[in-house]
Amino acid sequence: MPRLFTALEIPRDAALSLSLLRGGLPGARWIDVENYHLTLRFIGDVQGHVADEIANALDRVHRPSFSLTLSGVGAFGQKKPHAVWAGASSSPDLAALQAEIERICQRLGIPADPRRFMPHVTLARLRNSSPLDVAQYLSARGNFSTLPFRIGRFVLMSSRDSVGGGPYIVEEAWPLSGVDTRAASRVASTSDASRIMR
C-alpha cells in the first residue's frame, strides 16, 4: 500500500544547490536529488477510498503561488542524530497552505500530526553518525542558502517502503494561483505539461 503525503517539489536550480551539501558525513545515506521535496503533511498508509476523499478535498484549496527560499541546515535527533536537513525561510503563504491542508486532513478523520510543522528538505538519513561529526558537518555548512524560487503548485506524493526514502511518485498536483492572470496561466500550463509527462 502506498504511503501518502502532500509536498512541495524542489525546482532544478534549488535541487542543484542542495546537492552540493552531499558528502563529508560518515554514516549518511544521501537522498537522491530527484527525490528532494518539502513535506507539507504526512498522511501515511490509507485505503484507496480515503486517498480519493483526500484528493477530492484538496481540490478545494485555492491559494496564491509564492516565493520560497531554502536556508540553513540542521539535524533531527540531538543525542542520536537520524537525519540532516536544509530549512526553509519563514513564509506566511507556506504556513497558511500547510495549515489548510492540516485542517482538511483532520476533517477527514486523519489524526493530527503531534509534531509542530517545521518546513525542511531531508538531505540524508543517518545510521550511527556521531553527534560530533554531525555538529562539524552542520557548522561547516551553516550559511547555506538558495536563491528564492516560485512555488506554483503542491502535490500528493506516494512512496513505497524502501531504505532511504523514495522513489516518490506524484499522484496528483494542484496549481496555486498566480497574482496576475499571466502568472496563473503559466502555472496552469506547467502543471498541465507535468500531468501529461507522468
Side-chain angles (χ1 to χ4, degrees), residues 132-162:
L132 181 62
D133 285 341
V134 172
Q136 287 172 343
Y137 169 87
L138 297 177
S139 68
R141 291 156 183 83
N143 62 355
F144 167 77
S145 186
T146 65
L147 290 170
F149 54 89
R150 201 94 198 132
I151 298 293
R153 70 181 198 169
F154 71 97
V155 299
L156 182 66
M157 283 186 159
S158 67
S159 69
R160 299 294 187 272
D161 233 348
S162 66

Side-chain angles (χ1 to χ4, degrees), residues 64-112:
S65 66
F66 57 92
S67 187
L68 193 64
T69 304
L70 299 177
S71 70
V73 290
F76 290 128
Q78 298 311 306
K79 293 194 175 87
K80 197 169 187 292
H82 56 84
V84 290
W85 45 263
S89 296
S90 176
S91 162
D93 289 314
L94 171 60
L97 174 62
Q98 191 279 333
E100 183 171 355
I101 292 170
E102 178 65 44
R103 284 192 299 275
I104 286 170
C105 288
Q106 288 188 36
R107 271 202 303 272
L108 292 172
I110 297 160

Side-chain angles (χ1 to χ4, degrees), residues 16-81:
L16 202 60
S17 297
L18 288 170
S19 72
L20 300 176
L21 297 171
R22 292 162 67 100
L25 181 54
R29 284 198 319 274
W30 300 99
I31 303 292
D32 291 334
V33 175
E34 62 272 16
N35 286 325
Y36 287 150
H37 64 275
L38 189 157
T39 299
L40 294 169
R41 174 56 152 94
F42 181 74
I43 295 165
D45 302 323
V46 293
Q47 299 297 328
H49 70 279
V50 178
D52 290 341
E53 280 178 36
I54 293 164
N56 290 337
L58 291 173
D59 280 340
R60 295 192 288 276
V61 173
H62 297 289
R63 294 263 163 202
S65 66
F66 57 92
S67 187
L68 193 64
T69 304
L70 299 177
S71 70
V73 290
F76 290 128
Q78 298 311 306
K79 293 194 175 87
K80 197 169 187 292

